[in-house]
Each structure stands twice: as C-alpha cells, then as structure tokens.
Amino acid sequence: MFRLYRERPTSLKQRLLVSRSRSEEFWALRDVSFDIAEGSSMGLVGHNGSGKTTLLKCIAGILRPTAGTIRYRGRLAALLELGAGFHPDLTGRENVYLNASFLGLSRRQTDRIYDDVVAFAELEDFMDNQVKFYSSGMLVRLGFAVAVHVDPEVLLIDEVLAVGDESFQRRCLDRIRRFQSEGRTIVLVTHALDVVRQVCDEAVMLDHGRVQAIGAPDDVVRTLRHRLLSDDPTFVPEEGTREVEISGVVLESDGGLRDTVHPGEGMTITVDLRADVAVPDAAVSFAVVSASSNLHVLEGKTSRLGVRLGPVDGKKRVRFRIPPAPWASGTYFVSVGLDSPDGRLFHVQTQHYPLTVPDVDNVPHALAVEPTVEVEDL
Ligand SMILES: Nc1ncnc2c1ncn2[C@@H]1O[C@H](COP(=O)(O)OP(=O)(O)O)[C@@H](O)[C@H]1O
Ligand SMILES: [Mg+2]
C-alpha cells in the first residue's frame, strides 16, 4: 500500500500547521498469491502500472509489503531499475565490489569473478570511470553482469534488458537459458511477450495489482493480448452457437515445427471440428494477424477456396496448406472460425493460436542474387 499525498504543504508555516497532510491509501498489489517452483522461470506481464515492479521490489526486500509475506530460499540477485544499487560517484570497479559485498561475496570471491563481470559487460576501458558518466546501456550491462556472476539461486529481472543493444540482449538470453539449465529460479518482467513464451515455464499477468491470469505462458500471453484488444468494445475472444465446434487446431511448419514457421517456409493449419447434431454444411476459415501491426497478413476460407464440406455429422478434419512465404519475423495470432452457408457463426476463436516466426537474420544463408561487374579504363 502506498500513501498518496494529494496536497503538499509548501511553506514552513503550512507544514507546522498541517501536522499531517491528507493522504489516500493506494494498494499497488492486492490478493497476489502464487508459488514459483524452485528452478523454474516465471514471466511477469501486465500493462504499465499493473504492479510488476512493485512485486519484484517486494520479493527483493526493497519494499516491505503492508500485508502478506514473501518467502524464498537461497541467494537472490535483482536487476531492477536502471542503475539501482550503483553509487554514482564510485567507479565501475568500486561498484562491482560494493554490489558483490551486498550480495554476500567476500573481497576474494569478488576478485575471482571480477574479470568475467567486466568481460561480460564489455566495459574493460571504463571500469575506472565513475558510473555517473555511464550511458544507460553501460549501466544495464554492468548490472546484469554482476547479477549473473554472483552465483544467485534466484534472479529477478525487471524490463531492463530492453535497454541494451541486440547483441547484448542475445547474450542475456543465452545466460538466462544457462541459468535455467543450472536449475536456478528466475522471475522475468518484460514487455517482450515472445521472450516470455519462449523462455518461461509459467507466467503471471497482473492487472491493477491483482492476478488476472496464471499458467502456461502461451495462455497468459493470449489473455494479456485479449485484454489489450478488449479496449476495442467490439472484440469478443470466442463466440458462436457451437452447433459445430472447433475441437482442435494445429499449426505446423513444413519442417515439422509446432507453432513456428521460418521465413520462406510453408506450413499447414489443421482444424478439427465436431458436430454432435448433424448440420447440412459448414465453412471453415482462418486469419493470421501480426501482433506488431494488428494487420491480417493472410486469410483463407473453404468456400472461397472452392471446397464444400457438405454435411457435418461427427468429426471432420480440414487442412489449409500455406505455400512457402516470406514471413517477417515476429509473433502472429491465428483466428479460426466455423460458420454456416447463410452466415450463422457456429464457433469463432479470435486470435487464439500464437505463431512465432523466428528472427533468422543472423543465420548466414545463400543469397539468391547474381552479382554484376563493370570494368572501367582509368
Ligand atoms: N512509491 C510509490 N508511491 C506511490 N505509488 C506508487 C509508488 N510506486 C509505484 N506506485 C504505483 O503503483 C502502481 C504499480 O506500479 P509499478 O509496480 O511500477 O507497475 P509496473 O511495473 O507494472 O508498471 C502504479 O499505479 C504506480 O503509480
Ligand atoms: Mg515497472
């Protein structure tokens, strides 16, 4: 609970007269209760102001909750606000030693990790400068480098990774994966929902300080996305009469990957449907929406593709084959719908199925272009 002071006594006289200024209680977190299994990675998501940072600060012991308890076991390292825990007037080197000592490392233990910290942060030339002269990227690099080298059992990371450049982010992700394989526990706050889906074992979504969703990252990310979409009053995540139901949807790339397709690859969308009572006909449709642009990048419908399902009585399977396409990397969501020839909605699942197109820019591949050459007399 934070106390919000609406009126600030400005003059000394006012301050003496108003012994207590009026304040309001504000609960940044309410009824938040969950366990994080040892060795697992929890993604913490939610819109700005939903309470993520406050929760991490409570876990880290920087804030003391007004009510409730938090328990953890082992050494905990936290990477919260930019530069938090660093003393601006001390040098990078001094700050590494200071931070490590806060985390319980002796001077000699710090000596042993020091070179690795500096190398990871790529700050060899700056360790004798005061950190107040560091850029935000340098601060994040040093903060992350210290946090991952002090051998923590629990690592809290708030957003900060977004500050570093791409190669640093990649190294951070590598390091996070190594941490996971070593059985350490991670709580990761990020707006990069792809990272949550790819890295975390579980996710929690906060909304106005309350747990709005908890569970498999795909499901939580979908809930958050629906929440964001639901600012649009016309948005309905799932609807229809259910005379015919979508009983399963599988997204599979030609390379055999689930929920993933590489740029230039083809894929299949398989839709299983089920009717408990026979219907004379139905049409199956899908749409692929880009999460970043919200544009429909691809659509298909059986009737438009010249295919008639005919009577549906029991189960049927429909396969849409998508030829190799120049997919842009990023996250997409696939909507699937069933309707009758006269336009009655049987079952529609809007943006229910996530699809990832990995960023393969850094993978060298043959360039399908022919060079030309010119010769000039000089
Ligand atoms: N020190 C504080 N005093 C008063 N209100 C605060 C303080 N810190 C955070 N809040 C409020 O608590 C809510 C949650 O904030 P925060 O945990 O930073 O959210 P998030 O990290 O999810 O963006 C916000 O409404 C914010 O304004
Ligand atoms: Mg925050």
Side-chain angles (χ1 to χ4, degrees):
M1 187 265 285
F2 294 117
R3 210 164 269 289
L4 303 181
Y5 295 89
R6 300 262 175 232
E7 298 161 33
R8 282 230 157 127
T10 43
S11 70
L12 179 62
K13 186 176 153 204
Q14 244 181 320
R15 252 181 279 170
L16 292 173
L17 288 176
V18 187
S19 58
R20 282 184 56 182
S21 57
R22 256 182 284 162
S23 69
E24 264 171 45
E25 288 185 355
F26 173 77
W27 291 83
L29 295 171
R30 215 65 215 258
D31 299 330
V32 173
S33 179
F34 55 83
D35 294 323
I36 302 173
E38 195 172 331
S40 73
S41 299
M42 173 68 90
L44 192 54
V45 299
H47 59 78
N48 285 332
S50 56
K52 306 181 295 293
T53 296
T54 305
L55 182 55
L56 285 195
K57 284 183 176 169
C58 289
I59 299 174
I62 296 166
L63 289 174
R64 198 160 47 84
T66 315
T69 51
I70 292 161
R71 274 191 221 101
Y72 66 88
R73 199 166 45 202
R75 193 203 307 273
L76 178 144
L79 200 57
L80 302 180
E81 276 143 319
L82 201 53
F86 287 142
H87 196 295
D89 292 326
L90 297 182
T91 65
R93 179 192 306 274
E94 290 163 340
N95 268 298
V96 169
Y97 279 87
L98 188 68
N99 256 273
S101 78
F102 284 150
L103 291 162
L105 266 68
S106 69
R107 188 157 189 100
R108 190 167 319 145
Q109 284 172 316
T110 311
D111 287 340
R112 277 203 290 271
I113 59 166
Y114 183 79
D115 288 341
D116 290 338
V117 170
V118 177
F120 189 90
E122 295 184 333
L123 289 172
E124 286 88 346
D125 299 333
F126 302 95
M127 292 312 287
D128 293 317
N129 298 6
Q130 292 171 300
V131 303
K132 66 181 168 199
F133 298 119
Y134 281 18
S135 68
S136 54
M138 290 159 81
L139 279 174
V140 166
R141 279 173 6 226
L142 190 59
F144 192 84
V146 172
V148 298
H149 283 92
V150 295
D151 194 27
E153 272 96 20
V154 182
L155 180 64
L156 311 179
I157 308 172
D158 190 0
E159 212 64 77
V160 285
L161 298 187
V163 179
D165 61 24
E166 213 168 306
S167 94
F168 179 70
Q169 283 173 21
R170 218 179 290 277
R171 273 188 299 141
C172 290
L173 281 180
D174 286 348
R175 193 46 81 113
I176 286 172
R177 288 192 198 281
R178 197 161 114 195
F179 261 52
Q180 293 178 312
S181 68
E182 291 165 351
R184 302 173 200 260
T185 309
I186 299 172
V187 185
L188 178 69
V189 171
T190 176
H191 282 297
L193 300 182
D194 283 0
V195 172
V196 172
R197 290 180 44 226
Q198 285 158 18
V199 168
C200 296
D201 304 302
E202 255 202 313
V204 169
M205 173 189 163
L206 292 180
D207 188 17
H208 293 99
R210 288 172 193 270
V211 174
Q212 182 73 31
I214 182 164
D218 274 354
D219 296 336
V220 173
V221 165
R222 182 161 60 230
T223 306
L224 175 60
R225 191 168 160 69
H226 282 174
R227 190 70 182 205
L228 300 173
L229 282 169
S230 66
D231 289 341
D232 170 4
T234 58
F235 175 73
V236 185
E238 191 153 4
E239 59 188 317
T241 64
R242 306 269 185 132
E243 285 160 85
V244 191
E245 266 192 316
I246 300 164
S247 54
V249 172
V250 173
L251 314 177
E252 191 173 14
S253 76
D254 288 353
L257 293 173
R258 285 289 175 94
D259 307 325
T260 302
V261 62
H262 283 88
E265 211 181 5
M267 66 173 293
T268 306
I269 299 177
T270 306
V271 181
D272 284 351
L273 43 146
R274 185 184 58 221
D276 291 334
V277 179
V279 295
D281 198 4
V284 183
S285 58
F286 76 91
V288 184
V289 180
S290 150
S292 59
S293 68
N294 250 338
L295 288 175
H296 283 54
V297 299
L298 185 66
E299 285 171 338
K301 186 165 187 172
T302 47
S303 50
R304 248 182 292 127
L305 294 168
V307 171
R308 265 204 64 184
L309 265 69
V312 186
D313 185 6
K315 296 178 183 172
K316 256 194 208 308
R317 175 167 291 176
V318 173
R319 268 202 200 92
F320 293 100
R321 292 197 196 281
I322 299 162
W327 293 95
S329 67
T331 299
Y332 297 80
F333 288 88
V334 178
S335 302
V336 178
L338 306 178
D339 57 7
S340 69
D342 57 357
R344 233 158 9 107
L345 298 183
F346 288 143
H347 192 183
V348 178
Q349 294 179 319
T350 303
Q351 302 191 18
H352 199 78
Y353 302 97
L355 174 71
T356 302
V357 181
D359 188 358
V360 292
D361 279 348
N362 58 336
V363 179
H365 55 275
L367 303 173
V369 287
E370 193 73 32
T372 60
V373 61
E374 274 172 20
V375 181
E376 231 177 313
D377 278 328
L378 295 177

